[in-house]
Amino acid sequence: MNTPEPASPRLTQILDFLLFCDRFKQVQRRNLLADASRRETDAEHAWHLSLYALLLHDELGFEADLGHTLALLAVHDLVEILAGDTFAYDTAGVAGQAEREEAAAADLFGRLPDDLRDRVDGWWREFEAGKTPEARFARALDRLQPFALNVASGGVAWRQHKVSRAQTERRLAETRAADPALAALVDHLYARADAAGLLPD
Amino acid sequence: MNTPEPASPRLTQILDFLLFCDRFKQVQRRNLLADASRRETDAEHAWHLSLYALLLHDELGFEADLGHTLALLAVHDLVEILAGDTFAYDTAGVAGQAEREEAAAADLFGRLPDDLRDRVDGWWREFEAGKTPEARFARALDRLQPFALNVASGGVAWRQHKVSRAQTERRLAETRAADPALAALVDHLYARADAAGLLPD
């Protein structure tokens, strides 16, 4: 048996952050799973987005580094552990969202060693700003994936929350504009929604 | 409004695969969440591993490409959608696991266009073989993360399934051997387990 050095305070600080982030698995989103059995959690959403990125990366025109995109996707909603999920179609909730999430980021990311705090905080801000190819790719997927789940699950969450077709169209404009193949996928999903009688005008 | 081309059969095939993989969120693992409130799902486990990889990558001595590691982690358990989760300490279950997972891989990955089928299948096999630096890094984390959760949750799943300290030691040997800092983290977690009176000899 080799006897390793004791874990450094830095390593145990990272471990404690990783364990604290277990709460991400208990942040519930508004949309349901594809079979409509229950709401999706933030952690499941983040994993699913990574699979979307891996399988759609080469189909699209983004000059985006895949590893960097996956990093953005893994942390993009992490502040919701402390700030809660804000429903995209809740105007009042969206109004205070930025302040809540800034405070949450300072608290949450501040639990990491400074250099890692800055890195994760930077990924989160990069995603929010949506300027880099990786952030535009990640944001486009972040809107496509719940739309696909809402279509697959029969629009239950849309009816529950009285979401109109026009609201979904506005939300998906960023995904459509990001890439022609994504625009085609959005149209395809609307055609499926129409065939199922979801989202009437 | 621009009118995009219709989505290609290839794109809709990828979309259908992504929607089929929603079932990954309903594969339950044996270990519990950190607060012991319920079992963890495969999708949550996969997301958590990506966060482990992002935050531990620079602390360890692996010459592993981070993006590649994240790809392996996103798909490493995907066959469990069809093959089910095999409990690491279930000797009988482990015996038939390879055959079940081979059949599941052929079915599941065969739903993708051939080139993507080969890519995802290759990632899965690379993880299983554990030969590349990325696979060794991913496998080490795959054993560390549930161990950390079992310690954090008070060892409930260990007691439920009558797991002995020796069994955990054997399972974590690969993580210990992979990197000195990981070995230190494993020791640290055993010290926490001992302080809480978990895992007596």
Side-chain angles (χ1 to χ4, degrees):
Chain A
M1 293 289 285
N2 58 345
T3 42
E5 296 291 308
S8 65
R10 175 178 171 90
L11 267 183
T12 58
Q13 190 179 353
I14 296 170
L15 174 67
D16 284 332
F17 178 84
L18 288 166
L19 285 169
F20 186 82
C21 288
D22 204 63
R23 300 182 190 195
F24 197 52
K25 302 166 189 171
Q26 305 208 42
V27 181
Q28 297 202 33
R29 294 168 49 79
R30 298 301 174 105
N31 61 274
L32 307 180
L33 298 189
D35 70 357
S37 58
R38 62 167 171 81
R39 289 165 68 178
E40 189 186 37
T41 70
D42 266 0
E44 294 167 336
H45 165 68
W47 163 77
H48 212 171
L49 287 178
S50 72
L51 196 63
Y52 271 69
L54 286 167
L55 294 177
L56 289 174
H57 180 257
D58 289 351
E59 314 301 318
L60 310 177
F62 290 94
E63 298 284 334
D65 178 78
L66 188 54
H68 188 154
T69 306
L70 294 172
L72 299 185
L73 290 172
V75 307
H76 79 287
D77 277 336
L78 214 48
V79 296
E80 295 182 3
I81 289 173
L82 297 175
D85 177 50
T86 299
F87 187 37
Y89 300 116
D90 168 13
T91 317
V94 168
Q97 184 178 10
E99 293 75 10
R100 278 200 313 282
E101 294 194 345
E102 277 291 339
D107 180 337
L108 182 64
F109 304 148
R111 293 160 190 256
L112 282 167
D114 289 357
D115 58 321
L116 288 176
R117 174 199 65 202
D118 292 347
R119 192 181 306 172
V120 176
D121 187 75
W123 285 332
W124 173 62
R125 286 178 201 284
E126 180 182 343
F127 177 90
E128 289 292 315
K131 299 260 170 70
T132 62
E134 288 81 6
R136 290 194 309 116
F137 181 28
R139 289 173 65 89
L141 297 179
D142 185 44
R143 290 165 183 231
L144 178 67
Q145 183 263 357
F147 184 64
L149 278 188
N150 277 320
V151 174
S153 59
V156 177
W158 285 331
R159 288 193 295 278
Q160 281 174 343
H161 302 291
K162 302 198 187 341
V163 174
S164 72
R165 185 184 196 99
Q167 284 177 300
T168 66
E169 288 278 10
R170 280 195 292 277
R171 185 143 179 83
L172 286 157
E174 187 172 331
T175 300
R176 279 189 199 276
D179 187 273
L182 287 177
L185 273 178
V186 170
D187 274 3
H188 178 80
L189 285 163
Y190 271 111
R192 289 192 188 183
D194 289 339
L198 315 175
L199 281 179
D201 290 315
Chain B
M1 293 286 288
N2 59 345
T3 40
E5 295 291 308
S8 65
R10 176 178 170 87
L11 267 183
T12 58
Q13 191 179 354
I14 297 171
L15 174 67
D16 285 330
F17 179 83
L18 288 166
L19 285 169
F20 186 82
C21 287
D22 204 62
R23 300 182 190 195
F24 197 52
K25 302 166 189 171
Q26 305 207 41
V27 181
Q28 297 202 32
R29 293 167 51 78
R30 297 301 173 104
N31 61 274
L32 307 180
L33 299 189
D35 70 356
S37 58
R38 63 167 171 81
R39 288 165 68 179
E40 189 185 36
T41 71
D42 267 359
E44 294 167 336
H45 166 68
W47 163 77
H48 212 171
L49 287 178
S50 72
L51 196 63
Y52 271 69
L54 287 167
L55 293 177
L56 289 174
H57 180 258
D58 290 352
E59 314 302 317
L60 311 177
F62 290 95
E63 297 284 335
D65 178 78
L66 188 54
H68 189 155
T69 306
L70 294 171
L72 300 185
L73 290 172
V75 307
H76 78 287
D77 278 336
L78 214 47
V79 296
E80 295 182 3
I81 289 174
L82 296 174
D85 177 49
T86 300
F87 186 37
Y89 301 115
D90 168 12
T91 317
V94 168
Q97 184 178 11
E99 294 74 10
R100 279 200 312 281
E101 294 194 344
E102 277 292 339
D107 181 338
L108 182 64
F109 303 148
R111 293 161 191 256
L112 281 166
D114 289 357
D115 59 320
L116 288 175
R117 174 200 64 201
D118 292 347
R119 192 182 305 172
V120 176
D121 188 75
W123 286 331
W124 173 62
R125 286 177 201 284
E126 180 182 344
F127 178 89
E128 288 292 314
K131 299 261 170 71
T132 63
E134 288 81 6
R136 291 195 307 115
F137 182 28
R139 289 173 65 89
L141 297 179
D142 185 44
R143 290 164 182 230
L144 178 67
Q145 182 264 356
F147 185 64
L149 278 188
N150 277 320
V151 174
S153 58
V156 177
W158 285 331
R159 288 193 296 279
Q160 280 174 343
H161 302 290
K162 303 197 188 339
V163 174
S164 71
R165 185 184 196 100
Q167 285 177 301
T168 66
E169 287 278 10
R170 279 195 292 277
R171 186 144 178 85
L172 286 157
E174 187 172 333
T175 300
R176 280 189 199 275
D179 187 274
L182 287 177
L185 273 179
V186 170
D187 274 2
H188 178 79
L189 285 163
Y190 271 110
R192 288 192 189 183
D194 289 339
L198 316 175
L199 280 178
D201 290 314

